Amino acid sequence: MTAISPAGGADPGATVPDRPLLDVRGLRTYFHVMDGTVKAVDGVDFSIPPGGTVGLVGESGCGKSVTAHSIMRLIDIPPGEIAGGEIWFDGRDLLKLSDSEMRHVRGGEIAMVFQEPMTSLNPVFTIGDQISEAILLHNDVNKKEAAERAIESLKAVGVSAPERRVKQYPHELSGGMRQRAMIAMALSCNPKLVIADEPTTALDVTIQAQILELIKALQARTGTALLLITHDLAVVAETVQTIAVMYAGRIVEAGTVDQVLLAPQHPYTQGLLNSIPGVKKRGRALSVIKGVVPNPFRLPPGCKFQPRCPYAWEACSASEPELLPAPNGAKSRCYLHSPEGAGRREAFEKSVAATMESVGG
Amino acid sequence: MLRFIVRRLLGAIPVLLGLSVILFLFLRLLPGGGPAEAILGQHATPELVAQISHTQGFDQPLYVQYFDYIGRLLQGDFGSSFIDGRSVVDSFLVRFPGTVELTIGALIFAVGIGIPLGRLAARHPNSWLDGIVTVISLFGISIPVFVLGYTMAFVFSVQLHWLPDVGQLDPRLDIPAVTHFSVVDAILAGDWHVVDALSHLVLPSIALGSIPLAVITRITRASVIDVSNEDYVRTARAKGLTDRRVNSRHIMRNAWLPVTTVIGLQTGQLLAGAVLTETVFTWNGVGSWVVTSIQNHDYVVVQSLILIFAVIFLTVNLIVDVGYAFLNPRIRYS
Ligand SMILES: Nc1ncnc2c1ncn2[C@@H]1O[C@H](COP(=O)(O)OP(=O)(O)OP(=O)(O)O)[C@@H](O)[C@H]1O
Ligand code: SF4
Ligand SMILES: [Mg+2]
C-alpha cells in the first residue's frame, strides 16, 4: 500500500496506513546494580497507531517510566542496559539509530512531559529560553522567530500573558503553569508522539483535571499520538483509546478502554479496578490488591502475579503465561484463558461482575 | 540588586561594632594585669606600666576609652605598633599587596586546575580517572604546606634552578617599590622584569593553592554529579540536546552555585594571610606580620588586623553573594 501524492511521486513522509507509529517489541531493560540485576522491563510489547492514544498503567515500580525512557533512549548506560527487543518508530528501529540520529528523534519527533513540573524545568533559565532552545534545535529558525514561537506555544496551552511568562523563571510559576510550560515545550516542535509520564500526579486535584482536559484537547487538535503513563485508571479512562496494563516489567493486559475497564481479563487489572473509589463505594473501604509488589531481585517463578492472585493454581507457578488474545478480543497474560483454566474462569467472571457493580460502571 | 547590596552593607555594621567591642575588651581585660603589662610583658616595671597606661589612656574609664577607640577607627587611625612605631595602616599598605598577589596566584592555580579535574571526575564517577583525581585532592588536603613548600623549593630551585626559592623580586634588579604589588612594580620597571616577579610567584602559589585546589576539586565533582541527577537535566536531554551542550549549559550553570560559594570562602581565608607559605618563602605579606606581631605582644597591631580581616571577609562574602545572586535567579528576585 503506497500513498501516491497528487504530484505523482511517493511521499516519503506519508505514514503507511496500518503500520503503527510506535511498535515496541519484546523490550528488555535491565539495571546492573550492586545487589544484582533489576529486570525493570522484561518483555514489553505494545504499539500505537499514528495519532492514537495509549494509556500505560500499573503500580509504582512496575517499569512504566523505564519503558518510556527506553523509547527515548534516556536510560543511563551503565548501570542500565537495553538487553533486548526492538522499538520501531515511523519505520526505523530506534535502538539501532546512531546517537546523532536519535537526537533528532528526541524532542523533534518524540517529545516527553515528565511527572515533576517543579523540578523538570531548569531553575536558572527563563521559560522562554527553555522552550525556544528546543525550537532552535529542531527547526530552521533564528532566535527571534524561536522566541515568537515559544510565545505562541504557551498561548496554545492556555497560559495567560505569555509575552510576560517567557521572561519568567520556573520558580515564579505555579505547578500547574509549569506543567503547561512543559507541555508547550513538548508540543513546540510538532512531534509525532508525545509521551506523558504521570503528567498530573504531582498536581492538585482541580489542576489535574484541567491539565488532562488540555492534553486531550491538544491531542485532538494536533493529531499527535499520545502515550499516557499513569498509575490511575480513572485518568486513562477519560483520555485514551487503548490501555496496556503493566506488572513487574511486563504487559499483563492490553485492549481498548471499554474492554479493559468494563471486562478486565486479568486478575491484576480487576484488582486495580477494585481500588478505584467508585460512586457506589463511597463510604466503604476500598479494597486494595493484597500483598506487595514483588522484590525485583526475587521475582516469583511462573506468573509474576501469582503470589498475590486469588485464582492462582499450580500451573501458575510452573511457567509464565504469554500475552494472548482473550475471549473478548483484548489480550491477557493469564492461564485463566487457557483450556486448563476454564473451570476457574467462572469464579473470576462472577467476581469481575461484582467489581463492575461496585465501581459503578 | 542595589537594595540587596545596601541591606547587606547595613547588616555588616552591627557585626563590625560587636567585633570592635570584643576586641576592645579583649585587650583591656587580658589576664595578668592591665593592657600595659601585657604589652610590656616581662619588662614591666611599675614606672613603665604607669607611663604606658597614661600615654595610651588606659587609666581612663572603659567607656571613654572605647569611644576614643571607635572615634580613631572612624578617622582611619588603627593605631601604631609598639615595636617599630609605624602606623598599622602604613605597614598594612606595604604588606597587603603581597598577600593579594599570593592569593590571586593560589586561586588561579586552584580554580584553573580544580574545576577541570572536578568535572572530569564527575563525568566518569567511580572510574580509575575519578580515583586518580581523588588521590590528587587527598594529597592536596593532607600534605602539610611547609613540607610541600620546602620540597618544591628544594627540587625546583636548589636542584634544578628553574625557579627562585624565596622573596618576591630579585634584589639585584633593584625594582623600585611603587605600589608594593611586585608584579605591577616589575611591569612599571619595564625590561621584562615581570617575568622575574611571576617566577617568584609560582612555587608559593602552588603551595598555598594546594588545599583550595583539593576543596574546589571535591566540591566541583560533587556538585556536577548532584546536578546531573536532576530532573531538568533529563528534560534537557529529552529535547535532543548534545551531551556537550547539556553539560556546559544545563549542568554547569547550576553546578557553579556551590562552587562559587566555596571559592569565595577560600578567598577570604587566603586574604587573611598565609602564615606558613609566607614563612617558607620569606614572603612579605600580612601572614608573616600576624605571626611576628603575636610573638612580640604587639596587641594593637593584632587587634587592628583582626578588624581589618573582618572587613575584608565581609567584603569578599558580599562579592560572592552578589555573584551567586547573579547566577541564581531564585535569589535574584526574592
Ligand atoms: N537507574 C536505575 N537503577 C536501578 N534500578 C532502577 C533504575 N531506574 C529504575 N530502576 C528500577 O526499575 C524498576 C521500575 O522503575 P520505574 O521507574 O519504571 O517504575 P514506574 O512504573 O515508573 O513507577 P512510578 O509509578 O513510581 O513512577 C524499579 O524497581 C526501579 O527500582
Ligand atoms: S496466570 Fe494464574 S496467577 Fe497469574 S494472573 Fe492468571 S490466574 Fe493469577
Ligand atoms: Mg515512573
Side-chain angles (χ1 to χ4, degrees):
Chain A
M1 276 180 132
T2 348
I4 306 296
S5 71
D11 178 357
T15 351
V16 183
D18 295 343
R19 190 180 75 188
L21 175 69
L22 178 76
D23 194 2
V24 178
R25 297 180 194 162
L27 177 66
R28 283 167 216 285
T29 307
Y30 300 167
F31 291 97
H32 303 286
V33 292
M34 211 110 73
D35 300 328
T37 298
V38 181
K39 299 184 173 180
V41 168
D42 201 16
V44 156
D45 303 84
F46 70 93
S47 64
I48 308 179
T53 53
V54 172
L56 190 58
V57 272
E59 280 168 296
S60 186
C62 69
K64 307 181 296 291
S65 298
V66 172
T67 304
H69 295 164
S70 303
I71 296 170
M72 292 288 273
R73 284 194 22 202
L74 287 175
I75 300 284
D76 286 319
I77 302 172
E81 179 204 357
I82 299 202
E86 294 164 7
I87 299 174
W88 289 88
F89 177 77
D90 212 15
R92 294 158 291 172
D93 182 357
L94 296 184
L95 297 180
K96 296 217 168 68
L97 295 190
S98 70
D99 284 348
S100 77
E101 287 168 327
M102 191 59 210
R103 279 200 300 274
H104 288 290
V105 174
R106 258 186 231 132
E109 296 178 61
I110 308 179
M112 201 159 167
V113 177
F114 296 97
Q115 172 173 355
E116 288 293 338
M118 306 315 265
T119 52
S120 292
L121 288 165
N122 195 323
V124 304
F125 298 117
T126 62
I127 301 294
D129 267 356
Q130 297 187 56
I131 299 178
S132 24
E133 189 176 32
I135 298 173
L136 278 169
L137 194 66
H138 296 288
N139 300 275
D140 189 17
V141 293
N142 62 32
K143 277 205 166 130
K144 197 167 151 277
E145 291 163 331
E148 281 160 11
R149 270 180 67 174
I151 294 177
E152 276 166 37
S153 63
L154 278 179
K155 204 179 286 167
V157 295
V159 169
S160 58
E163 298 83 3
R164 200 162 49 84
R165 296 286 183 198
V166 288
K167 298 200 191 84
Q168 291 185 316
Y169 289 89
H171 71 275
E172 298 173 83
L173 272 56
S174 68
M177 273 298 157
R178 288 189 215 188
Q179 200 57 306
R180 281 175 197 265
M182 282 294 294
I183 294 169
M185 187 155 61
L187 291 176
S188 63
C189 296
N190 305 315
K192 297 186 179 115
L193 169 66
V194 171
I195 302 176
D197 189 357
E198 312 249 14
T200 60
T201 309
L203 301 172
D204 290 345
V205 181
T206 46
I207 312 286
Q208 279 190 6
Q210 290 174 14
I211 296 288
L212 268 187
E213 274 311 310
L214 174 71
I215 290 178
K216 228 161 50 173
L218 288 171
Q219 195 280 326
R221 192 162 81 217
T222 59
T224 305
L226 173 70
L227 176 61
L228 179 66
I229 295 176
T230 174
H231 59 264
D232 187 351
L233 279 177
V235 165
V236 282
E238 317 245 299
T239 324
V240 298
Q241 297 153 344
T242 59
I243 295 181
V245 181
M246 235 181 133
Y247 186 78
R250 295 147 177 80
I251 304 290
V252 293
E253 175 156 7
T256 64
V257 170
D258 285 353
Q259 285 168 344
V260 174
L261 296 189
L262 299 182
Q265 301 294 312
H266 194 283
Y268 176 64
T269 316
Q270 187 206 0
L272 283 182
L273 281 168
N274 249 331
S275 54
I276 298 182
V279 187
K280 297 187 184 168
K281 263 206 291 199
R282 200 157 287 160
R284 273 195 281 152
L286 298 181
S287 54
V288 285
I289 307 172
K290 72 175 167 76
V292 291
V293 179
N295 179 333
F297 294 112
R298 259 170 282 135
L299 288 178
C303 173
K304 304 304 163 219
F305 189 55
Q306 158 250 314
R308 303 171 77 186
C309 179
Y311 310 99
W313 75 99
E314 305 82 53
C316 305
S317 39
S319 63
E320 188 168 3
E322 283 178 48
L323 187 64
L324 294 172
N328 73 342
K331 285 178 182 168
S332 172
R333 192 187 281 278
C334 174
Y335 283 133
L336 286 175
H337 306 292
S338 69
E340 301 78 56
R344 290 169 172 82
R345 260 190 70 185
E346 212 170 300
F348 172 66
E349 273 160 11
K350 260 202 197 120
S351 164
V352 167
T355 300
M356 298 330 294
E357 175 71 8
S358 78
V359 170
Chain B
M1 187 56 93
L2 199 66
R3 279 229 322 264
F4 171 76
I5 296 174
V6 170
R7 212 170 49 217
R8 286 291 301 271
L9 287 176
L10 291 177
I13 292 175
V15 175
L16 290 176
L17 269 181
L19 187 64
S20 73
V21 171
I22 293 171
L23 286 172
F24 171 78
L25 290 177
F26 159 75
L27 187 55
R28 308 302 127 150
L29 305 177
L30 281 172
E37 281 93 339
I39 289 163
L40 292 166
Q42 309 145 351
H43 318 291
T45 61
E47 296 75 40
L48 267 177
V49 168
Q51 191 195 334
I52 293 269
S53 290
H54 187 68
T55 53
Q56 297 294 319
F58 294 151
D59 49 1
Q60 303 275 324
L62 270 186
Y63 72 93
V64 174
Q65 290 187 42
Y66 179 71
F67 284 115
D68 201 40
Y69 168 64
I70 289 292
R72 274 184 279 121
L73 283 185
L74 288 179
Q75 291 164 34
D77 177 3
F78 282 72
S80 309
S81 159
F82 285 115
I83 306 299
D84 59 12
R86 292 184 62 179
S87 93
V88 174
V89 173
D90 286 349
S91 301
F92 184 78
L93 290 179
V94 171
R95 285 172 171 271
F96 192 53
T99 295
V100 170
E101 285 183 311
L102 199 50
T103 298
I104 293 174
L107 277 179
I108 291 176
F109 170 71
V111 171
I113 296 182
I115 288 182
L117 273 188
R119 289 183 67 172
L120 187 70
R123 202 164 317 148
H124 312 278
N126 305 321
S127 66
W128 58 270
L129 251 171
D130 189 19
I132 292 178
V133 172
T134 304
V135 170
I136 294 176
S137 55
L138 279 179
F139 183 78
I141 286 255
S142 49
I143 187 166
V145 169
F146 65 91
V147 172
L148 180 63
Y150 281 126
T151 312
M152 288 195 305
F154 180 73
V155 174
F156 296 106
S157 312
V158 179
Q159 295 291 319
L160 298 170
H161 302 292
W162 287 357
L163 292 162
D165 57 348
V166 295
Q168 276 131 301
L169 289 166
D170 190 333
R172 287 166 301 181
L173 296 177
D174 211 15
I175 292 168
V178 183
T179 61
H180 297 286
F181 286 94
S182 57
V183 175
V184 178
D185 288 347
I187 291 173
L188 291 179
D191 261 352
W192 293 103
H193 289 334
V194 65
V195 175
D196 177 65
L198 290 176
S199 67
H200 275 88
L201 261 171
V202 173
L203 295 183
S205 296
I206 294 175
L208 185 59
S210 63
I211 289 176
L213 166 70
V215 175
I216 290 169
T217 305
R218 297 315 287 168
I219 197 80
T220 303
R221 176 189 181 276
S223 176
V224 169
I225 289 179
D226 249 22
V227 174
S228 304
N229 292 322
E230 290 284 350
D231 289 345
Y232 54 77
V233 172
R234 192 181 53 199
T235 309
R237 287 166 65 205
K239 277 181 197 173
L241 296 175
T242 57
D243 283 351
R244 200 194 179 86
R245 194 163 159 84
V246 171
N247 272 318
S248 64
R249 200 170 133 87
H250 288 266
I251 296 181
M252 279 322 285
R253 264 301 299 273
N254 286 282
W256 268 112
L257 298 174
V259 177
T260 6
T261 309
V262 166
I263 293 177
L265 290 174
Q266 295 286 328
T267 310
Q269 281 174 21
L270 293 178
L271 282 178
V275 175
L276 289 171
T277 311
E278 291 184 5
T279 309
V280 171
F281 293 96
T282 23
W283 193 270
N284 203 16
V286 289
S288 42
W289 188 22
V290 173
V291 179
T292 44
S293 302
I294 291 175
Q295 284 167 347
N296 294 334
H297 301 254
D298 204 345
Y299 288 114
V300 173
V301 174
V302 176
Q303 187 187 26
S304 297
L305 278 179
I306 293 176
L307 208 54
I308 292 171
F309 289 154
V311 173
I312 292 173
F313 232 91
L314 289 170
T315 312
V316 169
N317 271 339
L318 178 61
I319 293 171
V320 170
D321 285 347
V322 170
Y324 192 87
F326 184 75
L327 286 172
N328 189 350
R330 276 167 297 190
I331 292 191
R332 209 185 309 163
Y333 289 91
S334 54

